[in-house]
Amino acid sequence: MLFRSFKSSYVNEDFLTVFLIIPVPLSILVSLVRDYSLANRNLSLQLVKVEELTAQSIREQEEKQRILSNQNEMLETQVKERTSEIIQQKKIVEEKNHEILDSITYARRLQQAMLPPLRMFQQVFSDSFVLYKPKDIVAGDFYWLQQRNGNTFFAVADCTGHGVPGAMVSVVCNNALNRCVNEFALSDPAEILGKARDIVIAEFEKSDEEVKDGMDISLCLISDAEVVWSGANNPFWLFRKATEMIEEIKPDKQPIGKFSEMQPFTSHRIKIKKGDTFYLFSDGYQDQFGGPKGK
């Protein structure tokens, strides 16, 4: 009732509405200002913390970059030093390798000088060939030809080992064959092989260590109508032109060298006819990889 009387007596409706609403927003405004001030202060503090954290993060990143830069510099220095060492080592290895190759190449000249020249074969055998293809610069395989007192001796030998070790053994074995024919005047192939075995064993027994090296060999004494042959692990092949068949004569299964069951070697006398062809060989050719299964 009072409200209505006051309204109707003093002010109009619009003025009264404003008068009654104003006190409420002021109290809220004060509260809002206080809250805003507090929020603004908190925000300022948070901004300061953010700035501090940002600055700290920047410092940490700069420190990481500095450490990483130092590490990169150290790595680059180490890589340069290591590269320089590798280059120097490479030069040393190349020089050593060059010296070794020069020595082995010169050794090949000496070994080739030990082999009979092909012109000698052409003088003795007008229709003949030699296939000699060493795996390495020097080799353990060699062929041998000697003529003495009207006799012609021819052999193909395969010494133990390859490369330089095989070549060194071949010098001992070649010398043993020469001594058998020239010094001991032997003419029977079986006796030559037996004596050569004694010489080789005696040479290697001079060492404090046990050496079982030696050679496999196919050795012939050749005349006009007959071949006297003896073999140590290497066979003799004869191709008969009349029958177009290959005859194989088996060798004695023992080497020229130390062996647990040494026996005398056997000589075989083979009558040859015009057109016949015989082959002496080591196992170098037949042991090459190949065939359908790559063996």
Side-chain angles (χ1 to χ4, degrees):
M1 293 293 289
L2 179 61
F3 174 79
R4 184 173 296 177
S5 173
F6 181 80
K7 177 181 179 184
S8 61
S9 300
Y10 295 98
V11 295
N12 60 30
E13 184 177 354
D14 293 334
F15 177 79
L16 180 62
T17 302
V18 173
F19 178 79
L20 291 175
I21 294 174
I22 285 174
V24 177
L26 286 174
S27 62
I28 294 174
L29 181 60
V30 172
S31 176
L32 289 173
V33 170
R34 186 175 60 252
D35 292 343
Y36 174 78
S37 178
L38 180 61
N40 189 46
R41 187 165 56 252
N42 291 336
L43 182 60
S44 297
L45 292 174
Q46 291 178 359
L47 286 174
V48 171
K49 290 183 178 180
V50 169
E51 290 175 354
E52 292 177 351
L53 291 173
T54 302
Q56 182 180 356
S57 177
I58 291 173
R59 289 194 299 272
E60 291 176 352
Q61 289 298 325
E62 289 176 348
E63 180 66 16
K64 289 180 180 178
Q65 288 295 332
R66 186 186 65 81
I67 294 173
L68 183 60
S69 178
N70 291 338
Q71 290 178 343
N72 287 337
E73 290 179 0
M74 291 176 60
L75 287 174
E76 288 177 359
T77 302
Q78 292 175 357
V79 169
K80 289 180 181 179
E81 292 176 352
R82 185 57 179 161
T83 301
S84 177
E85 291 176 2
I86 292 174
I87 292 174
Q88 187 62 28
Q89 291 174 355
K90 180 175 179 290
K91 289 181 180 178
I92 294 174
V93 170
E94 288 177 346
E95 291 176 359
K96 293 295 183 182
N97 186 56
H98 185 70
E99 292 175 0
I100 293 171
L101 285 177
D102 284 347
S103 297
I104 296 176
T105 302
Y106 188 77
R108 177 178 62 182
R109 292 178 57 192
L110 298 177
Q111 188 176 44
Q112 288 179 341
M114 183 180 70
L115 300 175
L118 293 180
R119 57 179 172 77
M120 183 179 295
F121 282 98
Q122 295 300 323
Q123 292 174 359
V124 178
F125 310 108
S126 58
D127 186 11
S128 62
F129 74 93
V130 175
L131 176 63
Y132 184 67
K133 300 179 69 176
K135 174 180 175 291
D136 301 303
I137 298 176
V138 291
D141 290 13
F142 69 93
Y143 50 95
W144 176 80
L145 180 67
Q146 280 283 351
Q147 290 182 296
R148 184 176 176 83
N149 298 328
N151 293 323
T152 299
F153 302 92
F154 174 59
V156 171
D158 175 14
C159 297
T160 53
H162 297 283
V164 174
M168 295 182 68
V169 176
S170 74
V171 172
V172 175
C173 294
N174 187 286
N175 178 66
L177 293 175
N178 289 331
R179 289 186 62 190
C180 288
V181 173
N182 298 322
E183 180 180 340
F184 296 101
L186 299 177
S187 59
D188 181 72
E191 292 180 0
I192 293 174
L193 295 189
K195 187 61 178 179
R197 176 171 61 188
D198 296 339
I199 295 172
V200 170
I201 292 175
E203 285 294 324
F204 289 136
E205 281 184 343
K206 295 176 182 178
S207 172
D208 292 334
E209 299 179 1
E210 184 179 18
V211 180
K212 294 184 178 180
D213 292 292
M215 66 176 170
D216 297 337
I217 187 172
S218 183
L219 171 65
C220 292
L221 166 63
I222 302 167
S223 64
D224 292 335
E226 185 180 58
V227 171
V228 183
W229 172 83
S230 185
N233 287 328
N234 284 351
F236 177 92
W237 283 5
L238 175 64
F239 175 74
R240 294 289 189 183
K241 184 177 180 180
T243 60
E244 294 189 349
M245 298 289 291
I246 292 179
E247 299 178 10
E248 180 181 18
I249 301 177
K250 301 292 185 179
D252 292 303
K253 293 298 181 180
Q254 55 183 348
I256 304 299
K258 187 172 289 187
F259 187 61
S260 58
E261 299 178 2
M262 292 189 294
Q263 299 292 331
F265 288 95
T266 307
S267 285
H268 302 266
R269 295 185 175 274
I270 304 107
K271 295 293 183 180
I272 54 175
K273 300 178 182 179
K274 186 176 180 179
D276 288 348
T277 306
F278 62 87
Y279 299 90
L280 309 182
F281 49 87
S282 68
D283 60 3
Y285 187 81
Q286 67 197 44
D287 280 355
Q288 296 298 308
F289 290 99
K293 296 184 179 180
K295 292 187 175 181

